Amino acid sequence: MTLNKAETLATVTKLVDDYEAALVGNDVDTLDRMFWDSAHTVRYGATECLYGQDEILAFRKGRNAKGIARTVTRRAITTIGDDLAIANLEFRREGELRTGRQSQTWARFPEGWRVISAHVSWMDDAPGAKTTPAPDPFDAFVPGTRTTIGGGFAGRLAGRTFGVKDIFDVKGLSTGCGHPLRREQAAPSPRNASCVDAVLREGATCIGKTHTDELAYSLNGENWHYGTPVNPAAKGRIPGGSSSGSAVAVAGGLVDFAIGSDTGGSVRVPASYCGVWGMRPTHGVIPMDGAMPFAPSFDSVGWFAADPELLRDVGTCLLPRQDLHRIRRILVLRDGMQLLAPEAASALEAGLSALRGLPMTDVTLCPDGLTPLATAFRYHQGYEIWEQLGGWIRAHQPTFGPGIADRFVWASGITAEEFAQARALRAEFTARIRDLCAEDTLLVLPTVPDIAPLLGQSATELEDFRNKALQLLCIAGLAGLPQINMPLGQLPGGPIGLSIIGAQNNDRTMLRFVHEMARSIMPQPEVSDR
């Protein structure tokens, strides 16, 4: 007897796929044909036990076709010899908080393969998972997008919940990109972004879509249409954006981790303001399919977690295989440290001390200051943004809040010559910093110049702070390098992050480094010797 003979397995897999398509499409005739026409056929449902094909046909004929759509989250098919097979799967339905399970036994007859026994049931989520949508006291989630998708019982992220920034597609939900007109025009997504699928495959449960600034063109987190998510770590201060809801959901304990995006700092800034761990990976290392294109040569999938172990675990699910390297030296970017407010500099001293076990050298990246880099970044990014979104803005004339409206007007006027100049400076800088940042090296700098600005500041004040922050944020962005925000600084008004930047494709090495570093400086739970 041979198990999973290739030809037989391929045949049965196709049949199971066809069955699933017929089921969600309510193709009753096809479903009827797939079951063995016999009094010995058995189907146990969630609420009924059916014996014989006649009972099964009658049930299916009278079934309500509404709400039968589902998403298969895991499947296992085993063939036994040439004539018998067993198919098991887990599935989810929108609005249903439990995991569905289905088992089928298939047998081959002269007329073809048929289901001779089937069983469908429901069960609660895996231990540790949140089985009901968490309340949202911090306004992290987009209204109308709360859901329960995924939640397998095996995988690195089993029992973990997550939110998804509302520029990424989640099957069955519309992608609004932080603007009500965009949401109104968007049909429900037919599939998930691949980064969402990557964590679902590892057992995580998506519980909703999180707020973003309007079309993601801000670092503040203040959405003129939907309001401002509450910063749990610094009440009365902005949460940072544009991945505002994702950072807030993690900081407030509403989810275990969250997916965001980072073009100019949209993971790193809110991670610093909200006091959580956040990563922007090497540009292009994680596919951006199923996401709103913004500035493609900068756009990156990013993520947040409350601790470095989970940050690493999420990265393990999202990142491709990479060689691991031992970090042997630290370069402190002095021109970056000089941008810190005095109190913030003192707050980050403790974070720097955690790195002093390695050789540490001060370096100056740009003797003439970081402003030219930030300017090149703004022009390069703005030109790409208008290429991606300008057509929609011209066609529909959407309303934007202060700051963002001005930014789009400015981006629309960037010339091809200005873009070419910015691109040339970017190429020169990228070659220089990649030479500096070897595989055994980390660059250290503040994530942002200070703690989160207060709520209610003017657009001019926020724009001034943004431009100063971009002097720090543009470094990894221009060079496409990975950066991790570490929540190692604390002032009375709120947290501030210290960042590391690593070599291209050194993402996994960096995640291992921060995990090991955190274990050495953070209290570990006591282990009983009993």
Side-chain angles (χ1 to χ4, degrees), residues 69-90:
R70 66 186 191 180
T71 300
V72 174
T73 58
R74 193 165 188 179
R75 187 173 72 175
I77 299 173
T78 304
T79 62
I80 306 166
D82 295 321
D83 302 317
L84 193 65
I86 299 170
N88 295 290
L89 59 83
E90 298 176 32

Side-chain angles (χ1 to χ4, degrees), residues 170-220:
V170 173
K171 185 176 180 180
L173 300 178
S174 299
T175 302
C177 305
H179 200 285
L181 180 59
R182 190 89 170 197
R183 173 166 299 281
E184 180 184 322
Q185 294 174 348
S189 302
R191 61 187 64 84
N192 296 321
S194 62
C195 62
V196 175
D197 275 336
V199 293
L200 289 175
R201 281 195 300 270
E202 290 293 329
T205 301
C206 174
I207 66 168
K209 302 190 83 171
T210 54
H211 279 300
T212 175
D213 295 75
E214 299 158 75
L215 301 190
Y217 205 1
S218 175
L219 296 176
N220 297 328

Side-chain angles (χ1 to χ4, degrees), residues 102-445:
Q102 175 184 289
S103 296
Q104 294 176 329
T105 303
W106 291 75
R108 188 165 69 165
F109 297 91
E111 63 271 25
W113 288 86
R114 298 291 185 269
V115 176
I116 62 174
S117 177
H119 189 172
V120 180
S121 62
W122 296 96
M123 69 180 295
D124 289 335
D125 280 329
K130 298 178 175 67
T131 56
T132 57
D136 188 12
F138 305 110
D139 294 327
F141 291 96
V142 178
T145 70
R146 302 306 300 275
T147 186
T148 304
I149 301 171
F153 291 85
R156 185 177 290 269
L157 301 176
R160 300 289 198 171
T161 57
F162 72 101
V164 181
K165 182 179 182 177
D166 192 27
I167 70 161
F168 292 98
D169 289 344
V170 173
K171 185 176 180 180
L173 300 178
S174 299
T175 302
C177 305
H179 200 285
L181 180 59
R182 190 89 170 197
R183 173 166 299 281
E184 180 184 322
Q185 294 174 348
S189 302
R191 61 187 64 84
N192 296 321
S194 62
C195 62
V196 175
D197 275 336
V199 293
L200 289 175
R201 281 195 300 270
E202 290 293 329
T205 301
C206 174
I207 66 168
K209 302 190 83 171
T210 54
H211 279 300
T212 175
D213 295 75
E214 299 158 75
L215 301 190
Y217 205 1
S218 175
L219 296 176
N220 297 328
E222 296 178 301
N223 189 303
W224 197 64
H225 302 277
Y226 296 116
T228 303
V230 177
N231 185 338
K235 300 292 177 62
R237 295 181 180 272
I238 62 175
S242 61
S243 305
S244 53
S246 291
V248 164
V250 171
L254 307 183
V255 294
D256 295 309
F257 70 94
I259 292 175
S261 68
D262 191 305
T263 299
S266 291
V267 165
R268 294 164 286 166
V269 171
S272 181
Y273 289 175
C274 293
V276 298
W277 298 80
M279 181 161 196
R280 171 207 167 91
T282 298
H283 179 262
V285 77
I286 301 173
M288 282 289 292
D289 63 286
M292 178 195 78
F294 189 51
S297 77
F298 298 100
D299 293 345
S300 298
V301 175
W303 63 99
F304 304 86
D307 63 76
E309 182 176 9
L310 183 54
L311 190 81
R312 179 201 61 184
D313 288 348
V314 175
T316 299
C317 302
L318 290 171
L319 293 164
R321 292 185 179 275
Q322 295 172 335
D323 292 335
L324 293 176
H325 306 277
R326 181 58 59 184
I327 299 301
R328 302 187 187 280
R329 67 170 185 158
I330 301 291
L331 301 180
V332 180
L333 299 186
R334 269 301 134 201
D335 37 355
M337 302 300 288
Q338 289 168 0
L339 291 172
L340 280 169
E343 299 84 358
S346 299
L348 287 181
E349 271 304 314
L352 276 173
S353 67
L355 305 173
R356 296 196 191 280
L358 291 169
M360 189 175 293
T361 304
D362 287 354
V363 297
T364 298
L365 197 59
C366 298
D368 295 328
L370 296 168
T371 300
L373 288 182
T375 300
F377 173 83
R378 290 177 63 243
Y379 276 85
H380 199 307
Q381 180 203 37
Y383 189 86
E384 289 190 29
I385 290 170
W386 192 251
E387 279 192 326
Q388 297 297 322
L389 300 176
W392 182 80
I393 292 171
R394 285 194 299 266
H396 300 284
Q397 297 296 307
T399 301
F400 294 112
I404 292 179
D406 298 336
R407 215 165 287 136
F408 276 119
V409 171
W410 173 80
S412 71
I414 298 173
T415 66
E417 182 181 2
E418 289 170 326
F419 172 65
Q421 292 172 351
R423 185 170 55 185
L425 192 152
R426 179 187 189 183
E428 182 275 326
F429 171 73
T430 297
R432 180 157 52 90
I433 194 171
R434 287 187 178 180
D435 285 342
L436 181 67
C437 194
E439 292 172 337
D440 66 347
T441 301
L442 292 176
L443 310 181
V444 177
L445 71 164

